[in-house]
Amino acid sequence: MTSQPFRDGTDASYVVVGDGIAGSSAAAELADRTTDASITVVTGESEPLYNRILIKEFAKGALSADVVRMHDRSWYDDRDIDLRLGTRVETVDTTAQVLEIESGESIAYDELLVATGSTPRPLPVENADADGVTTFWTIEDAAQIRQNAARAEHNVIVGGGLLGIDYAAIAAAQDINSHYLIREGHWFSGALSETGAEIVHEALRERGVTPVVETEVSRFETDDAGQLRAAITSDGRRYEADCAGVAIGTTPNTGLLEETPVALEDGVVVDETLSADVPSVWAAGDVARYDDPRLGRHVSNGTWGSAAAQGELAARNMLAAPDAAAPFEYVPSYSVSHFEFPLASFGHPRLGDTYHERRYGDREWRRLAFRDGQLVGGVLIGDREPLQAYKQLTASGRHVQQQVQQLLAPSFDGTDFERQSSPLASD
Ligand SMILES: Cc1cc2nc3c(=O)[nH]c(=O)nc-3n(C[C@H](O)[C@H](O)[C@H](O)COP(=O)(O)OP(=O)(O)OC[C@H]3O[C@@H](n4cnc5c(N)ncnc54)[C@H](O)[C@@H]3O)c2cc1C
């Protein structure tokens, strides 16, 4: 709960662009805390909020589309939120405080929240738009992937990150022979070492997905009808494929702010309260590049929980007196549940200046990332038990690197550590 003082009875006009979890959470918070405000949510998508992190289960065939849906029209009507579906915002005039939408219509705002998320990057190679090649962000993408997988015999996956592993799990669930082409030396490079990644590679092989590392796709091959037939790598190898999943990263959706003075740098640059450097403009979710004082830099989180928390905080800060805006203090985490062992990453597992790891068994391993002595992130394979304790330590900003042996002890859950190390750890 927050102790922020809020403006009472505001009749201001709040416009939220994006109805993902960040935008929707913000709209809910605004509606909860105001009675006379005007709240508008504008989204390019054709349906209201659905659970983006569950669309992989829909694509696998494990869940129906209905289970993935979260809000219907009545959710917005009940809260007096004006929802504009299928409506893309083209430009923003931050001086006149007006948005222009595709149809040429304008929407005025007193406070604007940009929660536009990001878009998967296409592979910049020949035939990247062939039938059978997909990227993965929307429920429509999931439906297409499910349909492709149902009729495919051979598949390739391109991109060694967290979305790539979802494609691998879908291929495994549909029993498709699959090659997983990874440009780096192993999956989730930077966050995992080779040792940790090998646990995942082995689990993939067991599911009929063969990781092929240090490999770049140079083009896709199609038949005369434009249907994908193969991926050709830069060293000339040919991987037969009826479908391909491309997950090589995302680009933040900042186009609507390009003509404005709002600072854009791999996202909308905001301070620790999620406010942009232009009055009445805020950003939340994947599109926000916020100032994290613990890390001493701007970062994006790219996780569902963080986007929800940012949406809520941005809404509260929009309603708060300017000097009462609260900072975003949150340690994100991301869980992968495709294997018989859990895998969870937290914080910023690639932003360490030093890394320590330990293996506990065939399928149990941990790696912690430290920066200037502080724990800033890590990855746990096989045992999620210490996750909350690690997240708390990360949030505390304490200098704990000297206690790394304790942190990596098999039984670490934070309690003994608190007892034994409090004076030392605070530096
Ligand atoms: C397949 C998949 C699996 C994932 N799995 C996990 C997971 O296991 N755990 C986890 O923590 N995270 C996961 N994520 C990431 C997580 O879903 C995102 O971090 C989160 O959804 C971001 O929410 P957001 O509201 O910031 O953006 P989004 O959900 O991307 O929503 C942004 C919305 O803005 C709209 N928009 C964009 N531009 C405009 C415009 N100009 N005008 C109008 N509307 C616009 C878009 O259409 C979209 O609806 C996954 C993502 C995907 C795609």
Side-chain angles (χ1 to χ4, degrees), residues 207-231:
R207 287 160 175 76
V209 178
T210 309
V212 185
V213 300
E214 294 177 347
T215 303
E216 281 195 53
V217 172
S218 60
R219 67 188 170 89
F220 288 115
E221 199 177 281
T222 62
D223 63 17
D224 292 344
Q227 165 63 45
L228 180 71
R229 287 292 164 236

Side-chain angles (χ1 to χ4, degrees), residues 17-23 42-45 52-53 55-56 87-90 115-118 136-138 163 166 253 256 284-287 302-305 307 333-335:
V17 187
D19 187 39
I21 189 63
V42 187
T43 172
E45 290 201 57
R52 206 176 291 291
I53 73 178
I55 58 177
K56 55 193 141 193
T87 307
R88 288 197 64 76
V89 175
E90 294 289 328
T116 47
S118 53
F136 200 1
W137 201 260
T138 64
L163 277 185
D166 289 344
N253 296 322
L256 70 168
D286 285 9
V287 78
T303 73
W304 179 267
S333 53
Y334 194 114
S335 292

Side-chain angles (χ1 to χ4, degrees), residues 107-416:
I107 303 176
Y109 68 86
D110 292 312
E111 299 289 332
L112 170 67
L113 177 65
V114 179
T116 47
S118 53
T119 302
R121 282 206 295 271
L123 201 62
V125 301
E126 190 185 335
N127 294 326
D129 58 353
D131 287 345
V133 180
T134 54
T135 54
F136 200 1
W137 201 260
T138 64
I139 196 162
E140 286 90 2
D141 296 336
Q144 184 66 56
I145 292 163
R146 182 173 167 148
Q147 204 181 339
N148 290 350
R151 59 177 182 232
E153 280 180 37
H154 302 280
N155 170 51
V156 294
I157 300 149
V158 187
L162 292 163
L163 277 185
I165 210 81
D166 289 344
Y167 268 122
I170 294 162
Q174 303 281 0
D175 240 349
I176 316 170
N177 170 21
S178 202
H179 286 95
Y180 189 171
L181 311 181
I182 298 171
R183 188 173 58 180
E184 297 77 22
H186 56 76
W187 181 69
F188 208 10
S189 154
L192 299 182
S193 67
E194 248 179 82
T195 310
E198 187 45 37
I199 298 174
V200 175
H201 288 193
E202 201 178 301
L204 289 169
R205 283 185 214 105
E206 285 168 7
R207 287 160 175 76
V209 178
T210 309
V212 185
V213 300
E214 294 177 347
T215 303
E216 281 195 53
V217 172
S218 60
R219 67 188 170 89
F220 288 115
E221 199 177 281
T222 62
D223 63 17
D224 292 344
Q227 165 63 45
L228 180 71
R229 287 292 164 236
I232 312 297
T233 57
S234 46
D235 56 5
R237 278 175 292 171
R238 182 179 186 279
Y239 293 93
E240 205 175 327
D242 318 299
C243 64
V246 174
I248 57 164
T250 58
T251 306
N253 296 322
T254 56
L256 70 168
L257 294 174
E258 243 153 45
E259 304 297 318
T260 71
V262 174
L264 304 176
E265 206 183 300
D266 204 18
V268 180
V269 178
V270 289
D271 65 14
E272 72 276 16
T273 70
L274 308 177
S275 168
D277 54 356
V278 165
S280 300
V281 179
W282 306 77
D286 285 9
V287 78
R289 198 156 176 85
Y290 71 98
D291 182 12
D292 184 333
R294 275 193 313 257
L295 291 168
R297 58 187 285 176
H298 283 78
V299 288
S300 316
N301 283 343
T303 73
W304 179 267
S306 172
Q310 286 192 351
E312 284 169 18
L313 179 72
R316 290 199 298 272
N317 284 346
M318 286 159 100
L319 293 169
D323 57 354
F328 184 65
E329 289 170 336
Y330 184 92
V331 178
S333 53
Y334 194 114
S335 292
V336 173
S337 52
H338 299 307
F339 308 113
E340 63 278 11
F341 52 85
L343 186 154
S345 77
F346 67 93
H348 293 275
R350 290 170 154 145
L351 289 188
D353 52 32
T354 319
Y355 297 88
H356 295 272
E357 65 180 73
R358 182 164 171 187
R359 190 162 190 161
Y360 306 85
D362 277 359
R363 297 201 157 176
E364 200 181 326
W365 176 91
R366 281 179 226 163
R367 186 181 200 235
L368 301 178
F370 297 88
R371 194 178 177 88
D372 299 328
Q374 298 177 30
L375 182 62
V376 294
V379 181
L380 286 67
I381 296 180
D383 180 9
R384 281 173 49 97
E385 220 31 51
L387 182 63
Q388 286 312 320
Y390 287 145
K391 284 175 70 171
Q392 274 163 20
L393 271 184
T394 305
S396 76
R398 287 163 54 182
H399 290 234
V400 292
Q401 189 177 347
Q402 284 177 353
Q403 288 81 49
V404 68
Q405 293 314 324
Q406 271 173 276
L407 294 176
L408 286 174
S411 57
F412 176 79
D413 64 3
T415 34
D416 288 345

